[in-house]
C-alpha cells in the first residue's frame, strides 16, 4: 500500500461533538455533493417516511428534531455513499488491478460510485465492462457447474434492505444451501447466541423510552461518540431524568466523558454534559472477572439486605440460580479484582449503585462480543440483570447496540447459516420446495472452506469481505482460490482486488438512491437496533442508468440460475409490496406488513424478553456459569484490541483523523501504556512492527507509530482493518465463532 503522510499525535479529547462536529460534517458533504443534493438528503435523513441513515442501527426517537435528526458520522456516511465522483469504465481502463492494490482504502473509496457491471477474466490486468445479462449468465453457469450447492457461499453485509435480504435467502435456499455467512458473524453473533440461550431471543429487550426511564445505565465496550453518536443525545436525556451512567472500557473515550450536544445551547457555548458518573478502566477481556466481583459483593450485601436481589423474579421467572450463585461465591474476591486492574473503591461505588436501584440497563458493543469468551461476557451481563430482576420491566433490560443500519433486519429476514425449523417450515409451506436443513458456513467457516477449495463460488451482497474478515493474508488466498467471486457493491473496495479466477463487480443502488418501477417510487424497509421496522425511500438520481437496486440484482441472478423456479421474480420486483406480502406470510411478526409499515414511525416486532415471556425451551430466563478471560500473555507479549477511528465506517475510511484520540493524518498507530512505552525504550512516534505466532504461523504488520496513551498496562490498541493480518483465522469465540478481534496477543519490535 502507498505510504501515508506522517501521522501527527496530539492530546486526547475530553469531550465529544459540539460545533466542530457540525462544521466537519458539512465540510465532508459539501466537498463531495452539490448543495442541492446535500440539502435534499439531509432534510429527509431519519425523518418520518424519510431516508434511513445508512450508518449505524441506533433507533430514531418518536419526536424528530427539526434542526436535523442526524449526527456527524451519519453525514459522513451520506457523503461517502452519494458522492458525485464516479468510478466508471474509463477509471478501470486507466488503473490496473495491481495499481489499485497499491492504493490505500481511503483512496479507493474516494474514487466514487461504481457505475457499470465490470468483469476481470483470468489473466486480465484490468476490469472491463460487461452487460448485466452476460454477468448473470456467468454466475448462473458457475453455480450450476458446482458438484453441490454447498460449494458456494453467499455473504451479506448489514446494510441490505429487508426486501433484498428476503429475496436473497429465498434464492440461496432454492438453489440448495444454507451457506449464508453474514457480517453479524464478526459482530454481534456472540450477543445473539448468549441472549437466545438466556432469555430466548437474540435481540435486545429495551426501547428508547426505557433508556429515558432507567436509574442506572452500564455501557460496556462501546464507543458511542464515534459509532452511535445519536446515543449520546439519548444518554443526555436519561441523565437529565436522573440516570447514573457507568462506563466500562479500557480506553477513556471522549464521548463517554462529556458530550456537547450541537442542538442545544449548553452544547454550543456551554460545557456540555458529563456522561459517565463512574469510569471503570478495565483491562482488555477482564469483564467477566469484574462482573463476578460485582456479583460476589452483591451476594454478600444481600445477606443482610435480601431486598437488593429480586427474589420474586428469581423464584418465578428464572432457572439455574443455585449453581450460578455457588459458582460466583467460589471465587477468591481479591484475585478477581486484581485481574481487572480496577481498584476495590471504584468497584464498591458501582456495587452500591447497583444494590440500591432496580431499573438497570446494560448496553454493549464490540468490546464484549469479539473475544474467545465473548458469549461468556454477555451471559455474565445477563446474570447481573437477572439477579436484580432488571429485565422485562420499564427502564430495565438488555441493549446490545447493533452495528450496520439493517443488520438486525437481515437476520430477521432469514439470512442465517443456522436457520430455525420454524423458518424452514414456513418457506416450504409457502414456496413449495424443501429447503436444505443442514447448517451452512459462518464467515470463518466459509473462509476456511474457500481456502481448502471446498467453496468455489463467493457472492457478496454488499460489504467488503476481505478487509472485514480476520487473517487478511489467509482470506486473500481463500478468495483467490475461488472460480468466481462476485460483489454487489456501491463503492470500490479491496475485496474487488483479490479476485477469484473470474471476478465480477455488480453496481448497486444505495439507501439514498431513488428507485422507480413502472412510474411508481418504491421504498424499502429496515429494522433498527430496538426491533422497530420502518420504511426508507431514497431521493437522489442513481449514479448511472446501469446501476440496479439490490432486489432486482438478486431476482436477475435467481432467474439466470434456477431452472423451473416457481417464484415469479419479475412480479416481485415490479412492486416491492409484492415482496412484503411474502414476508408477511413467512416471517413471524410481519402480519399485515404493507398496512402497518404505512405508519410514519413503523411498528415494533414481538419480543418476549421485553414482556417477560421468555421463549427459551424451559420458558425461563436462564442463569449461566461463565468462563473468565484466559489469555495469559508471556512477559514480552501485549493484548491488542482492534478498534474504529472516528473517521471510518468499518472498512470504509472517511478520512485520516481520529480527533477524539488526538490522531491526525494517519491510521498506522499503536496506542500503548506510557510505562510500557518506556519499558521498551520507545518514544512517541517511533516506528514499530507488531507480530505474533499462533499455531506456529508468523503474522506480522510493519509501520505502526507508537502513541503513548491512557490505556491499561499490557494492553495495546490499533485500528481495524489495517491490523487484521494479525487476527488468526482460528482464534474465535466459543459457540458464536466470532473472530477474537479485541484480544490478540502481539509482540512489539522496533
Ligand atoms: N461511524 C461509525 N459508526 C459505526 C461503525 C463505524 O465503523 N463507524 N461501525 C458499525 C458497526 S458494524 C458496529 S458493530 C458498531 C461498533 O461500535 P463499537 O462497539 O463501539 O465498536 P469499536 O470501535 O470496535 O469499539 C469497541 C469499544 O470497546 C472497547 N473495548 C475493547 N476491548 C474491550 C474489553 O475487553 N472490554 C471492554 N469493556 N471494552 C473493550 C474499546 O475501547 C472501544 O471503546 O458501530 C457501528 N457504527
Ligand atoms: N479486526 C476487526 N475486524 C472486524 C471488526 C473489528 O472490530 N475488528 N468489526 C467487524 C464488524 S462489527 C463488522 S459488522 C464487519 C463489517 O464488515 P462488512 O459489512 O463486510 O464491511 P463494510 O466495511 O461495512 O462494507 C463496506 C462496503 O459495502 C458496500 N456497500 C455500502 N453500502 C452498500 C449498499 O447499500 N448496498 C451494497 N450492495 N453495498 C454497499 C461498499 O461497496 C463498501 O465498500 O467487520 C468486522 N471486522
Ligand atoms: Mo458490526
Amino acid at each position: 500500500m502507498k505510504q501515508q503522510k506522517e501521522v501527527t499525535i496530539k492530546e486526547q479529547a475530553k469531550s465529544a461533538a459540539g460545533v466542530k462536529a457540525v462544521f466537519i460534517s458539512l465540510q465532508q458533504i459539501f466537498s463531495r455533493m452539490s448543495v442541492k443534493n446535500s440539502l435534499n438528503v439531509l432534510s429527509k435523513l431519519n425523518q418520518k417516511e424519510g431516508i434511513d441513515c445508512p450508518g449505524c442501527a441506533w433507533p430514531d426517537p418518536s419526536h424528530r428534531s427539526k434542526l436535523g435528526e442526524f449526527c456527524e458520522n451519519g453525514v459522513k456516511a451520506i457523503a461517502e455513499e452519494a458522492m458525485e465522483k464516479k468510478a466508471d469504465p474509463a477509471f478501470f481502463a486507466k488503473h490496473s488491478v495491481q495499481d489499485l492494490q497499491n492504493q490505500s482504502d481511503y483512496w479507493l473509496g474516494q474514487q466514487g460510485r461504481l457505475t457499470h457491471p465490470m468483469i476481470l477474466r483470468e489473466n486480465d490486468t484490468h476490469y472491463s465492462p460487461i452487460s448485466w445479462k452476460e454477468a448473470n449468465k456467468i454466475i448462473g453457469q458457475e453455480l450450476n457447474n458446482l458438484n453441490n450447492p454447498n460449494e458456494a457461499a453467499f455473504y451479506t453485509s448489514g446494510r441490505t434492505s429487508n426486501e433484498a435480504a428476503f429475496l436473497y435467502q429465498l434464492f440461496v435456499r432454492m438453489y440448495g444451501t444454507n451457506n449464508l455467512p453474514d457480517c453479524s458473524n464478526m459482530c454481534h453473533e456472540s450477543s445473539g447466541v448468549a441472549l437466545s440461550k438466556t432469555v430466548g431471543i437474540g435481540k435486545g429487550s429495551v426501547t428508547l423510552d426505557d433508556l429515558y426511564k432507567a436509574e442506572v445505565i452500564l455501557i460496556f465496550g462501546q464507543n458511542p461518540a464515534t459509532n452511535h453518536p445519536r446515543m449520546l443525545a439519548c444518554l443526555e436525556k436519561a441523565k437529565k431524568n436522573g440516570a447514573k451512567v457507568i462506563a466500562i472500557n479500557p480506553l477513556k473515550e471522549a464521548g463517554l466523558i462529556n458530550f456537547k450536544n450541537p442542538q442545544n445551547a449548553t452544547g454550543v457555548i456551554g460545557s456540555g454534559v458529563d456522561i459517565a458518573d463512574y469510569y471503570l478502566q478495565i483491562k482488555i477481556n477482564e469483564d467477566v472477572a469484574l462482573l463476578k466481583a460485582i456479583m460476589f459483593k452483591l451476594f454478600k450485601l444481600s445477606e443482610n439486605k435480601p431486598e437488593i436481589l429480586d427474589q420474586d423474579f428469581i423464584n418465578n421467572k428464572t432457572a439455574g440460580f443455585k449453581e450460578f450463585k455457588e459458582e460466583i461465591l467460589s471465587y477468591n474476591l481479591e484475585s478477581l479484582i486484581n485481574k481487572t486492574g480496577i481498584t476495590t473503591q471504584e468497584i464498591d461505588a458501582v456495587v452500591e449503585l447497583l444494590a440500591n436501584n432496580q431499573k438497570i440497563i446494560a448496553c454493549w458493543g464490540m468490546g464484549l462480543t469479539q473475544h474467545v469468551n465473548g458469549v461468556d461476557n454477555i451471559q455474565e451481563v445477563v446474570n447481573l440483570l437477572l439477579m436484580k430482576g432488571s429485565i422485562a420491566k420499564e427502564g430495565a433490560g438488555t441493549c446490545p447496540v447493533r452495528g450496520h443500519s439493517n443488520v438486525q433486519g437481515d437476520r430477521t429476514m432469514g439470512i442465517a447459516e443456522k436457520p430455525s425449523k420454524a423458518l424452514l417450515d414456513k418457506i416450504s409451506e409457502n414456496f413449495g420446495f424443501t429447503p436444505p436443513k443442514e447448517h451452512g458456513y459462518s464467515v470463518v467457516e466459509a473462509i476456511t472452506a474457500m481456502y481448502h477449495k471446498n467453496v468455489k463460488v463467493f457472492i457478496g451482497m454488499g460489504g467488503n469481505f476481505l478487509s472485514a474478515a480476520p487473517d487478511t493474508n489467509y482470506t486473500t488466498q481463500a478468495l483467490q482460490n475461488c472460480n468466481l467471486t462476485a460483489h454487489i457493491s456501491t463503492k470500490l473496495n479491496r475485496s474487488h482486488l483479490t479476485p477469484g479466477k473470474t471476478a465480477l463487480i455488480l453496481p448497486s443502488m444505495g439507501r439514498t438512491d431513488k428507485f422507480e418501477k413502472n412510474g411508481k417510487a418504491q421504498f424499502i424497509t429496515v429494522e433498527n437496533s430496538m426491533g422497530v421496522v420502518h420504511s426508507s425511500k431514497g431521493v437522489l438520481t442513481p449514479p448511472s442508468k446501469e446501476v440496479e437496486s439490490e432486489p432486482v440484482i438478486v431476482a436477475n441472478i435467481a432467474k439466470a440460475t434456477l431452472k423451473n423456479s416457481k417464484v415469479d421474480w419479475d412480479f416481485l420486483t415490479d412492486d416491492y409490496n409484492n415482496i412484503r406480502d411474502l414476508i408477511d406470510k413467512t416471517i413471524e411478526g410481519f402480519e399485515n406488513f404493507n398496512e402497518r409499515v404505512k405508519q410514519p414511525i413503523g411498528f415494533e416486532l414481538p419480543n418476549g424478553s421485553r414482556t417477560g415471556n421468555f421463549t427459551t425451551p424451559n420458558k425461563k430466563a436462564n442463569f449461566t456459569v461463565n468462563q473468565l478471560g484466559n489469555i495469559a500473555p508471556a512477559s514480552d507479549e501485549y493484548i491488542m484490541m482492534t478498534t474504529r477511528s472516528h473517521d471510518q465506517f468499518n472498512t470504509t475510511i472517511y478520512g485520516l483523523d481520529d480527533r477524539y484520540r488526538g490522531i491526525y493524518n494517519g491510521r498506522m498507530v499503536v496506542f500503548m501504556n506510557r510505562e510500557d512505552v518506556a519499558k521498551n525504550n520507545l518514544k512517541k512516534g517511533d516506528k514499530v512492527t507488531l507480530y505474533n505466532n499462533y499455531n506456529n504461523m508468523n503474522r506480522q504488520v510493519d509501520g505502526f507509530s507508537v502513541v503513548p496513551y491512557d490505556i491499561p498496562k499490557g494492553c495495546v490498541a490499533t485500528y481495524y482493518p489495517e491490523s487484521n493480518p494479525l487476527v488468526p483465522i482460528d482464534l474465535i469465540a466459543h459457540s458464536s465463532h466470532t473472530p477474537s478481534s479485541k484480544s490478540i496477543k502481539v509482540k512489539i519490535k522496533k
Side-chain angles (χ1 to χ4, degrees), residues 724-746:
N724 285 36
L726 294 163
V727 186
I729 186 78
D730 44 7
L731 191 73
I732 53 175
H734 308 302
S735 311
S736 70
H737 298 178
T738 299
S740 175
S741 21
K742 292 286 186 279
S743 47
I744 306 129
K745 286 191 278 195
V746 291

Side-chain angles (χ1 to χ4, degrees), residues 145-161:
N145 278 344
L146 297 175
N147 293 322
N148 178 325
N150 293 326
E151 289 182 352
F154 300 83
Y155 176 65
T156 312
S157 163
R159 224 173 264 187
T160 295
S161 65

Side-chain angles (χ1 to χ4, degrees), residues 223 226-227 249 253 285 287 366 643-644 648 650 742:
N223 180 18
T226 288
N227 298 320
N249 199 310
E253 304 285 25
N285 197 30
D287 298 83
M366 297 301 102
T643 190
R644 293 157 169 79
Q648 73 183 87
N650 299 338
K742 292 286 186 279

Side-chain angles (χ1 to χ4, degrees), residues 680-698:
N680 284 281
N681 295 321
L682 292 168
K683 54 179 194 322
K684 179 165 122 179
D686 277 357
K687 289 275 184 301
V688 292
T689 293
L690 302 187
Y691 63 106
N692 57 24
N693 182 283
Y694 281 89
N695 290 334
N696 293 322
M697 181 127 143
N698 290 319

Side-chain angles (χ1 to χ4, degrees), residues 190 193 371-376 627 732-738:
S190 302
V193 169
H371 299 278
V372 171
N373 65 340
V375 176
D376 300 71
Q627 274 187 29
I732 53 175
H734 308 302
S735 311
S736 70
H737 298 178
T738 299

Side-chain angles (χ1 to χ4, degrees), residues 307-319:
E307 69 278 11
I308 69 171
L309 306 185
D310 189 337
Q311 304 293 347
D312 264 3
F313 180 81
I314 294 169
N315 293 339
N316 298 322
K317 287 287 193 178
T318 72

